[in-house]
Amino acid sequence: DALTLLEQSVLSDKPFQFPPELINQLGSSNWNHWGTPRAGRKDYSVHDVALQWQTTVLNQLLSSNTLT
């Protein structure tokens, strides 16, 4: 059951399917302000964010403290 939950909630593409309208609003702005860092890229990489979440969850689950 736990592995099925992990597969459906983290390792599947289903939790990361967002409407295009939302993704279009997540990109960086052209507004440059003295308190904000300059964005390296203009688009929002959903694939990179999904990979980050998947890696974080798997690292936490497979860490020595969790396994102990």
Side-chain angles (χ1 to χ4, degrees):
D1 288 342
L3 290 176
T4 300
L5 177 66
L6 183 64
E7 177 192 2
Q8 293 173 352
S9 301
V10 178
L11 300 177
S12 170
D13 63 337
K14 292 176 188 167
F16 303 104
Q17 293 180 357
F18 304 107
E21 297 83 19
L22 174 65
I23 295 174
N24 286 337
Q25 293 177 358
L26 295 177
S28 67
S29 171
N30 288 329
W31 175 254
N32 192 8
H33 188 265
W34 60 270
T36 58
R38 172 166 255 151
R41 53 188 294 178
K42 297 290 184 190
D43 64 332
Y44 187 79
S45 177
V46 175
H47 296 102
D48 289 345
V49 173
L51 179 61
Q52 248 178 348
W53 275 105
Q54 291 169 338
T55 302
T56 300
V57 169
L58 289 176
N59 283 341
Q60 183 66 36
L61 287 174
L62 298 174
S63 75
S64 58
N65 289 337
T66 303
L67 294 174
T68 301

Short mmCIF file of all heavy atoms in Angstrom, two decimals:
data_model
loop_
_atom_site.label_atom_id
_atom_site.label_comp_id
_atom_site.label_asym_id
_atom_site.label_seq_id
_atom_site.Cartn_x
_atom_site.Cartn_y
_atom_site.Cartn_z
N ASP A 1 0.82 -1.20 0.00
CA ASP A 1 0.00 0.00 0.00
C ASP A 1 0.87 1.26 0.00
O ASP A 1 0.55 2.23 -0.68
CB ASP A 1 -0.93 0.01 1.21
CG ASP A 1 -2.06 -1.01 1.10
OD1 ASP A 1 -2.33 -1.49 -0.03
OD2 ASP A 1 -2.66 -1.34 2.13
N ALA A 2 1.94 1.23 0.77
CA ALA A 2 2.82 2.40 0.85
C ALA A 2 3.51 2.67 -0.48
O ALA A 2 3.61 3.83 -0.90
CB ALA A 2 3.85 2.21 1.96
N LEU A 3 3.95 1.61 -1.13
CA LEU A 3 4.61 1.79 -2.43
C LEU A 3 3.63 2.26 -3.50
O LEU A 3 3.98 3.06 -4.36
CB LEU A 3 5.30 0.50 -2.86
CG LEU A 3 6.52 0.10 -2.04
CD1 LEU A 3 7.07 -1.24 -2.51
CD2 LEU A 3 7.59 1.17 -2.12
N THR A 4 2.40 1.79 -3.43
CA THR A 4 1.37 2.25 -4.37
C THR A 4 1.09 3.72 -4.16
O THR A 4 0.98 4.49 -5.12
CB THR A 4 0.08 1.42 -4.20
OG1 THR A 4 0.37 0.05 -4.44
CG2 THR A 4 -1.00 1.89 -5.16
N LEU A 5 0.99 4.14 -2.90
CA LEU A 5 0.77 5.56 -2.59
C LEU A 5 1.94 6.40 -3.09
O LEU A 5 1.74 7.45 -3.70
CB LEU A 5 0.59 5.75 -1.08
CG LEU A 5 0.44 7.19 -0.62
CD1 LEU A 5 -0.86 7.79 -1.16
CD2 LEU A 5 0.49 7.26 0.89
N LEU A 6 3.15 5.93 -2.87
CA LEU A 6 4.34 6.64 -3.34
C LEU A 6 4.35 6.75 -4.86
O LEU A 6 4.62 7.82 -5.42
CB LEU A 6 5.60 5.93 -2.85
CG LEU A 6 6.93 6.55 -3.18
CD1 LEU A 6 7.06 7.90 -2.51
CD2 LEU A 6 8.06 5.64 -2.76
N GLU A 7 4.01 5.67 -5.52
CA GLU A 7 3.98 5.68 -6.98
C GLU A 7 2.93 6.66 -7.51
O GLU A 7 3.20 7.45 -8.43
CB GLU A 7 3.66 4.28 -7.51
CG GLU A 7 3.54 4.23 -9.02
CD GLU A 7 2.95 2.92 -9.51
OE1 GLU A 7 2.59 2.06 -8.71
OE2 GLU A 7 2.86 2.78 -10.74
N GLN A 8 1.75 6.66 -6.93
CA GLN A 8 0.67 7.52 -7.42
C GLN A 8 0.83 8.99 -7.02
O GLN A 8 0.42 9.88 -7.76
CB GLN A 8 -0.68 7.01 -6.91
CG GLN A 8 -1.06 5.67 -7.48
CD GLN A 8 -2.31 5.10 -6.83
OE1 GLN A 8 -2.82 5.63 -5.86
NE2 GLN A 8 -2.79 3.99 -7.38
N SER A 9 1.44 9.24 -5.87
CA SER A 9 1.52 10.60 -5.35
C SER A 9 2.80 11.33 -5.70
O SER A 9 2.82 12.56 -5.72
CB SER A 9 1.38 10.58 -3.82
OG SER A 9 0.17 9.99 -3.46
N VAL A 10 3.89 10.60 -5.93
CA VAL A 10 5.19 11.26 -6.14
C VAL A 10 5.83 10.88 -7.46
O VAL A 10 6.32 11.74 -8.18
CB VAL A 10 6.15 10.93 -4.97
CG1 VAL A 10 7.51 11.55 -5.19
CG2 VAL A 10 5.57 11.39 -3.65
N LEU A 11 5.84 9.61 -7.78
CA LEU A 11 6.59 9.14 -8.94
C LEU A 11 5.79 9.17 -10.23
O LEU A 11 6.34 8.95 -11.30
CB LEU A 11 7.12 7.73 -8.68
CG LEU A 11 8.06 7.63 -7.47
CD1 LEU A 11 8.47 6.19 -7.24
CD2 LEU A 11 9.27 8.52 -7.64
N SER A 12 4.53 9.44 -10.16
CA SER A 12 3.68 9.53 -11.34
C SER A 12 3.68 10.97 -11.86
O SER A 12 4.05 11.90 -11.15
CB SER A 12 2.25 9.13 -10.96
OG SER A 12 1.36 9.41 -11.99
N ASP A 13 3.27 11.13 -13.10
CA ASP A 13 3.17 12.49 -13.64
C ASP A 13 1.84 13.15 -13.28
O ASP A 13 1.68 14.35 -13.46
CB ASP A 13 3.36 12.47 -15.16
CG ASP A 13 2.27 11.69 -15.87
OD1 ASP A 13 1.64 10.83 -15.23
OD2 ASP A 13 2.06 11.93 -17.06
N LYS A 14 0.90 12.39 -12.74
CA LYS A 14 -0.44 12.93 -12.45
C LYS A 14 -0.45 14.10 -11.47
O LYS A 14 -1.15 15.07 -11.69
CB LYS A 14 -1.36 11.81 -11.97
CG LYS A 14 -1.66 10.81 -13.07
CD LYS A 14 -2.48 9.65 -12.56
CE LYS A 14 -2.57 8.60 -13.66
NZ LYS A 14 -3.07 7.36 -13.16
N PRO A 15 0.32 14.05 -10.36
CA PRO A 15 0.28 15.19 -9.44
C PRO A 15 0.88 16.48 -10.03
O PRO A 15 0.68 17.56 -9.49
CB PRO A 15 1.12 14.74 -8.25
CG PRO A 15 1.32 13.29 -8.40
CD PRO A 15 1.12 12.96 -9.84
N PHE A 16 1.61 16.36 -11.12
CA PHE A 16 2.30 17.52 -11.68
C PHE A 16 1.67 18.02 -12.98
O PHE A 16 2.29 18.74 -13.74
CB PHE A 16 3.77 17.17 -11.92
CG PHE A 16 4.47 16.71 -10.68
CD1 PHE A 16 4.74 15.36 -10.47
CD2 PHE A 16 4.83 17.62 -9.70
CE1 PHE A 16 5.37 14.94 -9.33
CE2 PHE A 16 5.46 17.21 -8.54
CZ PHE A 16 5.74 15.86 -8.35
N GLN A 17 0.44 17.64 -13.23
CA GLN A 17 -0.26 18.11 -14.42
C GLN A 17 -1.05 19.37 -14.04
O GLN A 17 -2.04 19.30 -13.33
CB GLN A 17 -1.19 17.02 -14.97
CG GLN A 17 -0.43 15.86 -15.52
CD GLN A 17 -1.34 14.78 -16.06
OE1 GLN A 17 -2.55 14.86 -16.00
NE2 GLN A 17 -0.74 13.74 -16.61
N PHE A 18 -0.57 20.50 -14.51
CA PHE A 18 -1.18 21.78 -14.19
C PHE A 18 -1.77 22.39 -15.45
O PHE A 18 -1.26 22.17 -16.55
CB PHE A 18 -0.13 22.74 -13.61
CG PHE A 18 0.58 22.19 -12.41
CD1 PHE A 18 1.89 21.77 -12.50
CD2 PHE A 18 -0.08 22.07 -11.20
CE1 PHE A 18 2.55 21.26 -11.40
CE2 PHE A 18 0.57 21.56 -10.09
CZ PHE A 18 1.88 21.16 -10.19
N PRO A 19 -2.82 23.19 -15.30
CA PRO A 19 -3.37 23.86 -16.48
C PRO A 19 -2.35 24.83 -17.08
O PRO A 19 -1.57 25.46 -16.35
CB PRO A 19 -4.58 24.63 -15.94
CG PRO A 19 -4.70 24.32 -14.51
CD PRO A 19 -3.55 23.49 -14.08
N PRO A 20 -2.32 24.94 -18.40
CA PRO A 20 -1.37 25.85 -19.05
C PRO A 20 -1.48 27.29 -18.55
O PRO A 20 -0.49 28.00 -18.48
CB PRO A 20 -1.72 25.76 -20.53
CG PRO A 20 -2.45 24.48 -20.69
CD PRO A 20 -3.12 24.21 -19.37
N GLU A 21 -2.68 27.72 -18.18
CA GLU A 21 -2.86 29.10 -17.69
C GLU A 21 -2.05 29.32 -16.41
O GLU A 21 -1.46 30.37 -16.21
CB GLU A 21 -4.34 29.39 -17.42
CG GLU A 21 -5.22 29.32 -18.64
CD GLU A 21 -5.65 27.89 -18.99
OE1 GLU A 21 -5.58 27.00 -18.12
OE2 GLU A 21 -6.03 27.68 -20.15
N LEU A 22 -2.03 28.32 -15.54
CA LEU A 22 -1.26 28.44 -14.30
C LEU A 22 0.23 28.47 -14.59
O LEU A 22 0.97 29.30 -14.04
CB LEU A 22 -1.59 27.28 -13.36
CG LEU A 22 -0.76 27.21 -12.08
CD1 LEU A 22 -1.03 28.42 -11.19
CD2 LEU A 22 -1.03 25.93 -11.34
N ILE A 23 0.70 27.59 -15.45
CA ILE A 23 2.13 27.54 -15.78
C ILE A 23 2.58 28.86 -16.41
O ILE A 23 3.68 29.34 -16.13
CB ILE A 23 2.42 26.34 -16.70
CG1 ILE A 23 2.15 25.05 -15.93
CG2 ILE A 23 3.85 26.38 -17.21
CD1 ILE A 23 2.25 23.80 -16.75
N ASN A 24 1.73 29.47 -17.22
CA ASN A 24 2.08 30.75 -17.85
C ASN A 24 2.26 31.85 -16.81
O ASN A 24 3.00 32.80 -17.03
CB ASN A 24 1.03 31.16 -18.86
CG ASN A 24 1.11 30.33 -20.12
OD1 ASN A 24 2.14 29.76 -20.44
ND2 ASN A 24 0.00 30.25 -20.84
N GLN A 25 1.61 31.74 -15.67
CA GLN A 25 1.72 32.76 -14.63
C GLN A 25 2.92 32.53 -13.72
O GLN A 25 3.27 33.40 -12.93
CB GLN A 25 0.45 32.79 -13.79
CG GLN A 25 -0.75 33.27 -14.56
CD GLN A 25 -2.02 33.23 -13.75
OE1 GLN A 25 -2.02 32.82 -12.59
NE2 GLN A 25 -3.11 33.68 -14.33
N LEU A 26 3.56 31.37 -13.80
CA LEU A 26 4.67 31.04 -12.91
C LEU A 26 6.03 31.49 -13.42
O LEU A 26 6.99 31.49 -12.66
CB LEU A 26 4.71 29.52 -12.67
CG LEU A 26 3.51 28.93 -11.93
CD1 LEU A 26 3.66 27.42 -11.85
CD2 LEU A 26 3.36 29.54 -10.56
N GLY A 27 6.13 31.87 -14.66
CA GLY A 27 7.41 32.32 -15.20
C GLY A 27 7.87 33.62 -14.55
O GLY A 27 7.12 34.32 -13.90
N SER A 28 9.13 33.92 -14.72
CA SER A 28 9.67 35.14 -14.12
C SER A 28 9.17 36.38 -14.86
O SER A 28 8.81 36.33 -16.03
CB SER A 28 11.19 35.11 -14.13
OG SER A 28 11.67 35.17 -15.45
N SER A 29 9.19 37.46 -14.15
CA SER A 29 8.73 38.73 -14.71
C SER A 29 9.90 39.49 -15.32
O SER A 29 11.05 39.28 -14.97
CB SER A 29 8.10 39.57 -13.59
OG SER A 29 7.84 40.86 -14.04
N ASN A 30 9.61 40.38 -16.22
CA ASN A 30 10.64 41.24 -16.78
C ASN A 30 10.92 42.43 -15.87
O ASN A 30 11.82 43.20 -16.14
CB ASN A 30 10.24 41.74 -18.17
CG ASN A 30 10.31 40.63 -19.20
OD1 ASN A 30 11.13 39.73 -19.09
ND2 ASN A 30 9.44 40.68 -20.18
N TRP A 31 10.14 42.58 -14.82
CA TRP A 31 10.31 43.68 -13.88
C TRP A 31 11.59 43.44 -13.09
O TRP A 31 11.78 42.43 -12.45
CB TRP A 31 9.12 43.76 -12.94
CG TRP A 31 9.26 44.77 -11.87
CD1 TRP A 31 9.50 44.52 -10.56
CD2 TRP A 31 9.16 46.18 -11.99
NE1 TRP A 31 9.57 45.66 -9.85
CE2 TRP A 31 9.37 46.72 -10.72
CE3 TRP A 31 8.94 47.04 -13.06
CZ2 TRP A 31 9.35 48.09 -10.48
CZ3 TRP A 31 8.92 48.40 -12.81
CH2 TRP A 31 9.12 48.91 -11.54
N ASN A 32 12.49 44.40 -13.14
CA ASN A 32 13.75 44.30 -12.42
C ASN A 32 13.71 45.29 -11.27
O ASN A 32 13.51 46.49 -11.46
CB ASN A 32 14.92 44.61 -13.36
CG ASN A 32 16.25 44.24 -12.75
OD1 ASN A 32 16.30 43.62 -11.69
ND2 ASN A 32 17.32 44.60 -13.41
N HIS A 33 13.89 44.81 -10.07
CA HIS A 33 13.83 45.64 -8.87
C HIS A 33 15.10 45.40 -8.07
O HIS A 33 15.66 44.32 -8.08
CB HIS A 33 12.58 45.25 -8.06
CG HIS A 33 12.32 46.16 -6.92
ND1 HIS A 33 12.76 45.90 -5.65
CD2 HIS A 33 11.63 47.33 -6.85
CE1 HIS A 33 12.37 46.87 -4.84
NE2 HIS A 33 11.68 47.74 -5.56
N TRP A 34 15.54 46.41 -7.35
CA TRP A 34 16.81 46.31 -6.66
C TRP A 34 16.82 45.21 -5.59
O TRP A 34 17.86 44.73 -5.20
CB TRP A 34 17.21 47.65 -6.03
CG TRP A 34 16.24 48.18 -5.04
CD1 TRP A 34 15.18 49.00 -5.28
CD2 TRP A 34 16.21 47.93 -3.64
NE1 TRP A 34 14.49 49.27 -4.15
CE2 TRP A 34 15.11 48.63 -3.10
CE3 TRP A 34 16.99 47.19 -2.78
CZ2 TRP A 34 14.79 48.59 -1.75
CZ3 TRP A 34 16.67 47.15 -1.43
CH2 TRP A 34 15.58 47.85 -0.94
N GLY A 35 15.67 44.76 -5.12
CA GLY A 35 15.63 43.73 -4.08
C GLY A 35 15.43 42.32 -4.60
O GLY A 35 15.42 41.37 -3.82
N THR A 36 15.30 42.16 -5.89
CA THR A 36 15.05 40.83 -6.43
C THR A 36 16.24 40.37 -7.27
O THR A 36 16.83 41.15 -8.00
CB THR A 36 13.79 40.81 -7.32
OG1 THR A 36 13.95 41.75 -8.39
CG2 THR A 36 12.55 41.17 -6.54
N PRO A 37 16.57 39.08 -7.15
CA PRO A 37 17.67 38.58 -7.99
C PRO A 37 17.22 38.44 -9.44
O PRO A 37 16.04 38.25 -9.72
CB PRO A 37 17.97 37.21 -7.39
CG PRO A 37 16.71 36.81 -6.72
CD PRO A 37 16.03 38.07 -6.27
N ARG A 38 18.14 38.56 -10.33
CA ARG A 38 17.84 38.41 -11.76
C ARG A 38 17.60 36.93 -12.07
O ARG A 38 18.38 36.07 -11.67
CB ARG A 38 18.99 38.94 -12.58
CG ARG A 38 18.85 38.65 -14.07
CD ARG A 38 19.78 39.46 -14.89
NE ARG A 38 18.93 40.46 -15.49
CZ ARG A 38 19.29 41.67 -15.83
NH1 ARG A 38 20.51 42.05 -15.63
NH2 ARG A 38 18.47 42.50 -16.38
N ALA A 39 16.52 36.64 -12.75
CA ALA A 39 16.17 35.26 -13.09
C ALA A 39 17.08 34.75 -14.20
O ALA A 39 17.38 35.47 -15.14
CB ALA A 39 14.72 35.18 -13.53
N GLY A 40 17.51 33.50 -14.08
CA GLY A 40 18.37 32.91 -15.09
C GLY A 40 17.62 32.52 -16.35
O GLY A 40 18.14 32.56 -17.43
N ARG A 41 16.35 32.17 -16.17
CA ARG A 41 15.54 31.79 -17.33
C ARG A 41 14.14 32.37 -17.16
O ARG A 41 13.68 32.60 -16.06
CB ARG A 41 15.51 30.28 -17.51
CG ARG A 41 15.11 29.50 -16.30
CD ARG A 41 15.26 28.01 -16.44
NE ARG A 41 14.36 27.45 -17.42
CZ ARG A 41 14.33 26.18 -17.75
NH1 ARG A 41 15.15 25.33 -17.17
NH2 ARG A 41 13.51 25.73 -18.65
N LYS A 42 13.48 32.59 -18.27
CA LYS A 42 12.17 33.25 -18.25
C LYS A 42 11.02 32.29 -18.03
O LYS A 42 9.99 32.65 -17.51
CB LYS A 42 11.93 34.01 -19.57
CG LYS A 42 12.92 35.11 -19.82
CD LYS A 42 12.70 36.24 -18.86
CE LYS A 42 13.64 37.38 -19.18
NZ LYS A 42 13.64 38.39 -18.16
N ASP A 43 11.19 31.03 -18.47
CA ASP A 43 10.09 30.08 -18.32
C ASP A 43 10.16 29.39 -16.96
O ASP A 43 11.14 29.49 -16.24
CB ASP A 43 10.13 29.05 -19.45
CG ASP A 43 11.39 28.19 -19.40
OD1 ASP A 43 12.41 28.68 -18.90
OD2 ASP A 43 11.33 27.06 -19.88
N TYR A 44 9.11 28.69 -16.62
CA TYR A 44 9.04 27.93 -15.37
C TYR A 44 9.17 26.46 -15.73
O TYR A 44 8.32 25.91 -16.42
CB TYR A 44 7.71 28.20 -14.67
CG TYR A 44 7.64 27.59 -13.30
CD1 TYR A 44 8.25 28.19 -12.22
CD2 TYR A 44 6.95 26.41 -13.09
CE1 TYR A 44 8.19 27.63 -10.97
CE2 TYR A 44 6.88 25.84 -11.84
CZ TYR A 44 7.50 26.46 -10.78
OH TYR A 44 7.43 25.91 -9.53
N SER A 45 10.21 25.83 -15.27
CA SER A 45 10.49 24.45 -15.64
C SER A 45 9.75 23.48 -14.72
O SER A 45 10.23 23.15 -13.64
CB SER A 45 11.99 24.18 -15.59
OG SER A 45 12.22 22.84 -15.89
N VAL A 46 8.58 23.06 -15.15
CA VAL A 46 7.78 22.12 -14.36
C VAL A 46 8.53 20.80 -14.19
O VAL A 46 8.49 20.19 -13.12
CB VAL A 46 6.41 21.88 -15.02
CG1 VAL A 46 5.61 20.83 -14.29
CG2 VAL A 46 5.64 23.18 -15.09
N HIS A 47 9.26 20.39 -15.21
CA HIS A 47 10.00 19.13 -15.13
C HIS A 47 11.08 19.19 -14.05
O HIS A 47 11.27 18.23 -13.30
CB HIS A 47 10.63 18.80 -16.48
CG HIS A 47 9.63 18.55 -17.55
ND1 HIS A 47 9.32 19.50 -18.50
CD2 HIS A 47 8.83 17.49 -17.81
CE1 HIS A 47 8.38 19.01 -19.30
NE2 HIS A 47 8.07 17.81 -18.90
N ASP A 48 11.77 20.30 -13.96
CA ASP A 48 12.81 20.44 -12.94
C ASP A 48 12.21 20.44 -11.54
O ASP A 48 12.77 19.85 -10.61
CB ASP A 48 13.61 21.73 -13.15
CG ASP A 48 14.51 21.66 -14.37
OD1 ASP A 48 14.73 20.55 -14.89
OD2 ASP A 48 14.98 22.73 -14.81
N VAL A 49 11.07 21.10 -11.37
CA VAL A 49 10.42 21.15 -10.06
C VAL A 49 9.91 19.76 -9.67
O VAL A 49 10.07 19.33 -8.52
CB VAL A 49 9.27 22.18 -10.06
CG1 VAL A 49 8.47 22.11 -8.78
CG2 VAL A 49 9.82 23.58 -10.27
N ALA A 50 9.32 19.04 -10.61
CA ALA A 50 8.84 17.69 -10.33
C ALA A 50 10.01 16.79 -9.94
O ALA A 50 9.92 16.01 -8.97
CB ALA A 50 8.11 17.12 -11.54
N LEU A 51 11.11 16.88 -10.66
CA LEU A 51 12.29 16.08 -10.34
C LEU A 51 12.83 16.44 -8.96
O LEU A 51 13.23 15.56 -8.19
CB LEU A 51 13.37 16.27 -11.40
CG LEU A 51 14.67 15.50 -11.17
CD1 LEU A 51 14.42 14.00 -11.15
CD2 LEU A 51 15.68 15.87 -12.24
N GLN A 52 12.82 17.71 -8.61
CA GLN A 52 13.27 18.15 -7.29
C GLN A 52 12.43 17.52 -6.19
O GLN A 52 12.96 17.03 -5.19
CB GLN A 52 13.17 19.67 -7.18
CG GLN A 52 14.46 20.37 -7.11
CD GLN A 52 14.24 21.88 -7.04
OE1 GLN A 52 13.16 22.41 -7.26
NE2 GLN A 52 15.29 22.59 -6.73
N TRP A 53 11.11 17.56 -6.34
CA TRP A 53 10.22 16.98 -5.34
C TRP A 53 10.42 15.48 -5.24
O TRP A 53 10.48 14.92 -4.14
CB TRP A 53 8.76 17.29 -5.67
CG TRP A 53 8.34 18.61 -5.13
CD1 TRP A 53 8.16 19.76 -5.85
CD2 TRP A 53 8.10 18.95 -3.78
NE1 TRP A 53 7.81 20.78 -5.00
CE2 TRP A 53 7.77 20.30 -3.73
CE3 TRP A 53 8.13 18.23 -2.59
CZ2 TRP A 53 7.45 20.96 -2.54
CZ3 TRP A 53 7.82 18.89 -1.41
CH2 TRP A 53 7.48 20.23 -1.39
N GLN A 54 10.52 14.80 -6.37
CA GLN A 54 10.70 13.36 -6.36
C GLN A 54 12.02 12.98 -5.68
O GLN A 54 12.08 12.06 -4.86
CB GLN A 54 10.65 12.81 -7.78
CG GLN A 54 9.28 12.89 -8.39
CD GLN A 54 9.27 12.60 -9.89
OE1 GLN A 54 10.29 12.71 -10.56
NE2 GLN A 54 8.11 12.24 -10.40
N THR A 55 13.07 13.71 -5.99
CA THR A 55 14.38 13.45 -5.39
C THR A 55 14.35 13.70 -3.88
O THR A 55 14.88 12.90 -3.11
CB THR A 55 15.45 14.33 -6.05
OG1 THR A 55 15.46 14.07 -7.45
CG2 THR A 55 16.82 14.09 -5.47
N THR A 56 13.71 14.78 -3.47
CA THR A 56 13.63 15.11 -2.04
C THR A 56 12.89 14.03 -1.27
O THR A 56 13.34 13.59 -0.20
CB THR A 56 12.94 16.47 -1.85
OG1 THR A 56 13.71 17.47 -2.52
CG2 THR A 56 12.80 16.82 -0.39
N VAL A 57 11.75 13.59 -1.79
CA VAL A 57 10.97 12.56 -1.11
C VAL A 57 11.74 11.25 -1.03
O VAL A 57 11.82 10.62 0.04
CB VAL A 57 9.61 12.36 -1.81
CG1 VAL A 57 8.89 11.13 -1.28
CG2 VAL A 57 8.73 13.59 -1.63
N LEU A 58 12.35 10.83 -2.13
CA LEU A 58 13.11 9.58 -2.11
C LEU A 58 14.33 9.66 -1.21
O LEU A 58 14.65 8.71 -0.49
CB LEU A 58 13.53 9.19 -3.53
CG LEU A 58 12.39 8.71 -4.42
CD1 LEU A 58 12.90 8.46 -5.84
CD2 LEU A 58 11.73 7.47 -3.86
N ASN A 59 15.01 10.79 -1.21
CA ASN A 59 16.16 10.97 -0.31
C ASN A 59 15.73 10.88 1.15
O ASN A 59 16.43 10.28 1.98
CB ASN A 59 16.87 12.29 -0.57
CG ASN A 59 17.73 12.27 -1.80
OD1 ASN A 59 18.10 11.20 -2.29
ND2 ASN A 59 18.04 13.44 -2.33
N GLN A 60 14.60 11.47 1.47
CA GLN A 60 14.11 11.43 2.85
C GLN A 60 13.71 10.01 3.24
O GLN A 60 14.03 9.53 4.32
CB GLN A 60 12.91 12.37 3.00
CG GLN A 60 12.38 12.44 4.42
CD GLN A 60 13.34 13.05 5.39
OE1 GLN A 60 14.08 13.96 5.05
NE2 GLN A 60 13.35 12.55 6.61
N LEU A 61 13.02 9.32 2.35
CA LEU A 61 12.58 7.96 2.65
C LEU A 61 13.74 6.98 2.77
O LEU A 61 13.68 6.04 3.56
CB LEU A 61 11.62 7.45 1.57
CG LEU A 61 10.23 8.07 1.58
CD1 LEU A 61 9.44 7.60 0.37
CD2 LEU A 61 9.49 7.73 2.86
N LEU A 62 14.80 7.20 2.01
CA LEU A 62 15.92 6.27 1.99
C LEU A 62 17.09 6.74 2.86
O LEU A 62 18.16 6.12 2.84
CB LEU A 62 16.38 6.05 0.56
CG LEU A 62 15.34 5.41 -0.36
CD1 LEU A 62 15.84 5.37 -1.79
CD2 LEU A 62 14.93 4.05 0.13
N SER A 63 16.90 7.80 3.63
CA SER A 63 17.98 8.28 4.49
C SER A 63 18.22 7.28 5.64
O SER A 63 17.34 6.51 6.02
CB SER A 63 17.65 9.65 5.08
OG SER A 63 16.69 9.54 6.10
N SER A 64 19.41 7.29 6.16
CA SER A 64 19.75 6.34 7.23
C SER A 64 18.90 6.57 8.47
O SER A 64 18.51 5.62 9.15
CB SER A 64 21.23 6.43 7.57
OG SER A 64 21.57 7.73 7.97
N ASN A 65 18.57 7.82 8.78
CA ASN A 65 17.73 8.11 9.97
C ASN A 65 16.33 7.54 9.79
O ASN A 65 15.76 6.97 10.72
CB ASN A 65 17.64 9.61 10.21
CG ASN A 65 18.93 10.19 10.72
OD1 ASN A 65 19.75 9.48 11.28
ND2 ASN A 65 19.13 11.47 10.50
N THR A 66 15.75 7.69 8.61
CA THR A 66 14.41 7.17 8.37
C THR A 66 14.42 5.65 8.40
O THR A 66 13.53 5.02 8.98
CB THR A 66 13.87 7.65 7.01
OG1 THR A 66 13.89 9.08 6.99
CG2 THR A 66 12.46 7.17 6.76
N LEU A 67 15.42 5.05 7.78
CA LEU A 67 15.48 3.59 7.75
C LEU A 67 15.75 2.99 9.12
O LEU A 67 15.32 1.88 9.41
CB LEU A 67 16.56 3.14 6.75
CG LEU A 67 16.24 3.48 5.28
CD1 LEU A 67 17.44 3.12 4.40
CD2 LEU A 67 15.00 2.75 4.81
N THR A 68 16.45 3.74 9.97
CA THR A 68 16.69 3.26 11.34
C THR A 68 15.40 3.27 12.11
O THR A 68 15.07 2.39 12.85
CB THR A 68 17.72 4.17 12.05
OG1 THR A 68 18.93 4.13 11.29
CG2 THR A 68 17.99 3.71 13.44
#
